[in-house]
Amino acid sequence: MTRRTVLSAGRLPGRAEGSGGGRRMAAGAGSGFTPQIIKYSVLQSQAPRAASGRAGRRRPPRRKRIRPGMPTLTRDRGLPSEEKWTLKGGPNTVGRSRENDVVVAHVSLSRHHARFDVEDDRVILVDLKSLNGSFVDGLQVQQCRLKNGDRVQLGDIFFDFEEERVAKQASRAAYEQDMKRLLEMGAGGEASQSALRIKAAAPEQRAEDKLKLLLTVSQMLTSPEPLDTLLPKIFDLLFQIFEVDRAALLLADEKTGALEPRLARAVGGPMGEAPIYSQRIVQHAFEKGAGLVLGDAVADPRFAGSTSIYGAQIRAAMCVPVKSREKVLGALYVDHLTIPGRFQQEDLEFLEAFAGQAGIAVENASLARQLSEEAVRRSSLLRFFPPTVIGPLMESPDFGQKPYDAGVTVLFSDISGFTALSSGRKSSEIVALLHRYFPVMAEIVFRHEGTLEKYIGDALMAIWGVPHAKPDDADRALAAALEMQQAMVGLNAARGEEPELAIHIGLNSGPVTFGNIGSHDYVQFAAIGDTTNVASRVCNLASAGEVVLSEATRSRLTKDDVPLAALPPAMVKGKSEPIQAYRVVRAEAPEPAAETPVPPAPAP
């Protein structure tokens, strides 16, 4: 059995306290036959240590763990942009900085985002206090032991974690060998009346074989897989274990609760579109939550008048609920067309236990899908919103789908002289520059609880007031603008001999329409309205190193600790009247004569 050890797991956004770190994979007993065997633990055996220093006793040779292959991380599997990294023994760091072992220049990653510790018999993922977090199969983690096939998300970037496939294939072969051995075991003698393919044996041996068989089934279904892969595997096991002619699996629709056929198969292969089961039989098992066995379905008075039974001339049949814990997920139906009384009570009990294992696997597949969808949605939200508001947004699945009106403060930032700076340089150099610049600016926006609306070339647009408005949104936007200017000192110091960069910033406040603009499938939150256009024009009024704000933003400030100077009224594109703007007065910058000091904004 593959075991997952989460050493320190974070809570999924939006989950209530005490929820145990998000959704968990189902584990519990199915109904019917020996449910207690589901609660088991398979531990790696360790050879006993020989006592040292004792005469006449040799230390047994210590097994050396040999990895069949070093683990790998793959990004964009199957695409032209696919990248693959082989992790070395020991620590492997991942992040934007070139100092990392795995360098991914993406704005959602921190400079030193996470570390993969490759040990002799395990790989541990450790989050390095990153801004946007580390996730394994949709669950946010601080530390987590990885297993083959895990989906790792760092920021907005997804990786497939793999160890050498030989180990996985060896485990699969071992399970299949166990199945073959168990299904061929027996003390000989006359064939059993049971439809189980275990040969007749002493009762004690037969009971033990059934326990081992069900444990092997559990091991083979333990890893969450998509339903399209999982359901055929369940049927492969079913036809190996039982002597049946046909089988069908129905699952309840998550929204309507109605039973829907998901897979049907006969001994010879797939079935046609016509249902092979009796609707009354499967509905009975589903609604009652209990299995039933029919010795001769045609003659059973409980289903008298059933056209599906008479039409198919069903003789022996069994149907059991597919459960996970106490939740009924669907129904599993099997039949035999020629021999009445083919199924015994022993068969029904084992089929109920088998369906319990199938139910756990089905629910795990459903939870894995939901976690993956939540991870994608969370990743999309993290592109725009600060981590502090992601939890409430995750609780509102329809957030942003219907645009709404809001009063906001908009920040526009541009790199001064960017066109001249780009001239004559390689595009790869410009991209590398922006990869260093944008993450620093984005972190500042999020630190002041702003929403990162978009990047436009070298420009950045952020807004305050959505998704949640605060009385001091304008103050937060201004504080972010000042910190962005200050951050340029550190960025320029890191550039060494390269020409210094400067930015100019504009702020404006007013009404916008905000929401997911465009497609439901492609999330792109945007603020639409004249307010954003004017913010861009105000940005153009600023010189390199300056912060300029409109009268609308100045009037919303709740603090007067930032000195401002009025600029001459200016005409801007799209406006028939000049607008009044104000420049932040910095101590080291002399004020132009045309500017006049501005009194503090009146208290709101």
Side-chain angles (χ1 to χ4, degrees), residues 286-479:
F286 178 68
E287 293 176 354
K288 301 294 184 182
L292 70 161
V293 57
L294 292 86
D296 190 344
V298 173
D300 195 308
R302 290 176 296 178
F303 305 103
S306 173
T307 56
S308 57
I309 292 177
Y310 281 93
Q313 287 297 298
I314 298 172
R315 291 299 180 180
M318 290 190 295
C319 190
V320 297
V322 176
K323 292 183 178 181
S324 180
R325 299 174 183 170
E326 295 304 315
K327 181 181 179 182
V328 180
L329 306 176
L332 177 61
Y333 169 90
V334 298
D335 66 20
H336 201 288
L337 299 178
T338 58
I339 306 177
R342 184 68 187 92
F343 302 127
Q344 309 298 314
Q345 185 64 26
E346 177 189 23
D347 303 325
L348 178 65
E349 291 174 351
F350 193 91
L351 186 63
E352 286 178 328
F354 178 90
Q357 290 299 322
I360 292 172
V362 167
E363 185 174 38
N364 283 347
S366 176
L367 292 178
R369 176 182 56 79
Q370 293 175 27
L371 289 172
S372 178
E373 291 174 352
E374 287 186 2
V376 171
R377 183 166 184 265
R378 186 181 191 281
S379 176
S380 297
L381 293 174
L382 281 170
R383 292 168 48 206
F384 303 97
F385 306 108
T388 53
V389 304
I390 296 300
L393 296 185
M394 291 292 291
E395 292 180 344
S396 175
D398 296 329
F399 169 75
Q401 297 306 315
K402 184 178 180 181
Y404 63 96
D405 295 334
V408 302
T409 295
V410 181
L411 178 153
F412 250 94
S413 172
D414 251 334
I415 297 178
S416 305
F418 185 75
T419 301
L421 177 70
S422 304
S423 179
R425 290 176 179 263
K426 295 180 179 179
S427 59
S428 59
E429 294 177 2
I430 300 302
V431 170
L433 183 155
L434 294 176
H435 275 156
R436 292 192 295 270
Y437 165 73
F438 277 135
V440 176
M441 300 296 113
E443 288 179 14
I444 293 171
V445 169
F446 289 152
R447 187 155 50 245
H448 292 275
E449 299 189 32
T451 294
L452 183 60
E453 210 262 20
K454 69 181 71 170
Y455 300 124
I456 313 169
D458 64 306
L460 176 150
M461 176 179 166
I463 52 180
W464 280 257
V466 290
H468 306 298
K470 296 182 175 64
D472 60 345
D473 280 331
D475 300 273
R476 291 172 182 272
L478 179 56

Side-chain angles (χ1 to χ4, degrees), residues 172 221 226-240 249 262-263 265:
R172 174 77 180 180
L221 299 179
L227 278 180
D228 290 344
T229 304
L230 174 66
L231 298 187
K233 181 186 289 187
I234 291 173
F235 270 47
D236 288 343
L237 294 171
L238 178 67
F239 277 88
Q240 280 183 264
L249 177 66
R262 297 303 302 266
L263 189 63
R265 184 187 294 180

Side-chain angles (χ1 to χ4, degrees), residues 37 40 42 210-220:
I37 76 147
Y40 62 87
V42 180
K210 286 188 288 187
L211 290 174
K212 291 178 179 179
L213 184 57
L214 195 55
L215 177 59
T216 302
V217 168
S218 173
Q219 291 169 329
M220 296 184 76

